[in-house]
Amino acid sequence: MSRVFLIWAVTHSVKEVQSEDSVLLFVIAWTITEIIRYSFYTFSLLNHLPYIIKWARYTLFIVLYPMGVSGELLTIYAALPFVRQAGLYSISLPNKYNFSFDYYAFLILVMISYIPLFPQLYFHMLHQRRKVLSGTEEHKKFD
């Protein structure tokens, strides 16, 4: 969902950020990640998973995940002034629904949500890496 959000609700909606280096950063990280992920799935389905693909799936995230998250956060941050100025996707009171929404504040909350979520997901992947690449019998019985 974060990819759809970043592509549509930030990068597509705020044209001014489309030329930011941060967009290139997350697009490169996502692209490499997906090439590795789908190669892993394909070879697994064929019951012929080369170790290099398995290793790449459980190792390259160490660099790619922080790279992608950095690109995402920098892109959202770059979009903030434009969102505020244009009032993009914001709904002000008064209106017939008696409801307001501030997209600028929402983007800030999204950025803050990375603080608890990123370490949790990153350390989960590190744990998976140890489990999958260790090859010990203790870890194999949990697969």
Side-chain angles (χ1 to χ4, degrees):
M1 182 164 150
S2 73
R3 292 183 182 188
V4 172
F5 175 76
L6 254 297
I7 294 298
W8 180 79
V10 179
T11 309
H12 173 74
S13 299
V14 183
K15 306 280 187 235
E16 294 85 353
V17 301
Q18 292 177 3
S19 61
E20 292 285 327
D21 291 339
S22 58
V23 173
L24 187 61
L25 193 63
F26 76 72
V27 168
I28 288 171
W30 291 358
T31 301
I32 295 169
T33 298
E34 294 307 316
I35 290 169
I36 294 166
R37 180 192 331 253
Y38 288 104
S39 296
F40 178 87
Y41 292 155
T42 301
F43 285 111
S44 293
L45 286 171
L46 296 171
N47 292 320
H48 183 70
L49 179 62
Y51 182 78
I52 189 72
I53 301 290
K54 183 178 178 180
W55 178 88
R57 169 112 164 101
Y58 290 101
T59 303
L60 294 182
F61 80 89
I62 293 169
V63 173
L64 294 172
Y65 196 31
M67 183 175 143
V69 166
S70 298
E72 293 170 19
L73 288 171
L74 290 168
T75 301
I76 296 170
Y77 183 76
L80 287 175
F82 302 105
V83 168
R84 176 172 259 174
Q85 181 184 7
L88 184 67
Y89 303 134
S90 296
I91 302 169
S92 300
L93 285 172
N95 60 54
K96 66 181 181 179
Y97 302 109
N98 199 26
F99 171 81
S100 68
F101 175 74
D102 185 359
Y103 189 57
Y104 178 85
F106 176 75
L107 288 178
I108 291 171
L109 289 174
V110 166
M111 291 174 69
I112 291 169
S113 75
Y114 277 71
I115 295 168
L117 295 176
F118 173 75
Q120 182 180 359
L121 295 172
Y122 193 73
F123 288 122
H124 171 73
M125 284 301 295
L126 285 173
H127 174 75
Q128 290 299 105
R129 180 180 190 276
R130 276 191 300 274
K131 186 170 110 176
V132 171
L133 296 182
S134 71
T136 64
E137 286 301 315
E138 179 182 328
H139 290 297
K140 284 184 181 178
K141 66 183 168 188
F142 294 112
D143 289 340

